[in-house]
Amino acid sequence: MFRKALLGFTLLLAPVAQAAEVPPAMSQYIYDDLMAWVNDAEIVQAIQAQNSAMGALSQDDIILRDEMWRAQVSTPVAPLVNEVMNAPLSTFLRVHQEKSAGLITEVFVMDRNGLNVAASTITSDYWQGDEAKFQETFGKGSGSVFVDEIELDESTQTYQGQVSFAVTDPASGEVVGAITVGLNASAFY
């Protein structure tokens, strides 16, 4: 564990798990900008609301929801996709993406099941729980950060590096979900 001073608070951060080498400018942006808002109260509350509403889902239920999402992504009638994209938290995420002046390509928030709670742009799938972005953060505890390899992202059609964070309830210290921020790789080289 190491400490990071941020906005007058000292955060205990788990070691950063990395699948790839992180350019210094990207690393600086992660710690100077993203760490300031990825555990915002609005994010924590939205995750907790979905955790409460969904409860513990079976693997079959999760897969069914993911299949529904994938089928709805490119159709005009998309109740599950619309529910996520029209969530108030999705507006919050879009504002942060817009303020980044092109550095952020996408942002999405996941509940304890690894299911989307909110997103700035439509993701290609609904269930992130089977991916490193969720497993290396939610499953690793408070303060966990995972930086994935830079690759062409299917959803955004840009080369991006995804950085994911465990989202922690500040009152209980419990990890409630995770957030992934896609960063435009070309902006950091």
Side-chain angles (χ1 to χ4, degrees):
M1 296 280 231
F2 61 93
R3 296 181 188 273
K4 175 74 176 165
L6 180 68
L7 300 176
F9 298 98
T10 300
L11 299 173
L12 287 176
L13 299 174
V16 175
Q18 290 179 227
E21 194 67 30
V22 179
M26 185 181 285
S27 180
Q28 193 70 41
Y29 185 73
I30 290 167
Y31 288 105
D32 289 349
D33 187 79
L34 300 182
M35 294 296 291
W37 60 269
V38 295
N39 277 291
D40 186 272
E42 191 171 343
I43 294 171
V44 173
Q45 290 166 359
I47 293 171
Q48 289 174 320
Q50 183 159 310
N51 283 346
S52 180
M54 293 276 196
L57 295 175
S58 71
Q59 190 65 32
D60 288 343
D61 288 337
I62 290 170
I63 290 170
L64 177 63
R65 289 172 186 272
D66 190 51
E67 288 171 352
M68 287 171 42
W69 177 278
R70 289 171 188 259
Q72 292 177 16
V73 164
S74 59
T75 63
V77 178
L80 184 57
V81 172
N82 290 339
E83 180 182 325
V84 170
M85 297 310 299
N86 294 330
L89 183 59
S90 292
T91 300
F92 172 91
L93 300 177
R94 282 189 286 275
V95 166
H96 278 283
Q97 182 175 343
E98 289 166 13
K99 287 186 345 188
S100 79
L103 295 177
I104 296 175
T105 56
E106 67 178 341
V107 187
F108 52 95
V109 173
M110 300 152 272
D111 67 9
R112 69 174 168 221
N113 294 304
L115 298 173
N116 291 348
V117 173
S120 65
T121 59
I122 296 174
T123 60
S124 55
D125 58 350
Y126 182 59
W127 182 46
Q128 315 300 325
D130 61 339
E131 299 175 36
K133 65 182 73 110
F134 183 77
Q135 295 168 350
E136 293 293 329
T137 55
F138 181 82
K140 301 291 182 174
S142 183
S144 295
V145 179
F146 175 71
V147 181
D148 209 344
E149 295 198 34
I150 293 171
E151 60 187 19
L152 180 63
D153 180 72
E154 195 178 314
S155 300
T156 63
Q157 290 298 301
T158 59
Y159 281 93
Q160 69 175 17
Q162 289 185 332
V163 58
S164 302
F165 305 85
V167 177
T168 304
D169 177 353
S172 69
E174 173 190 12
V175 176
V176 295
I179 184 170
T180 294
V181 181
L183 297 175
N184 180 351
S186 64
F188 295 98
Y189 281 96

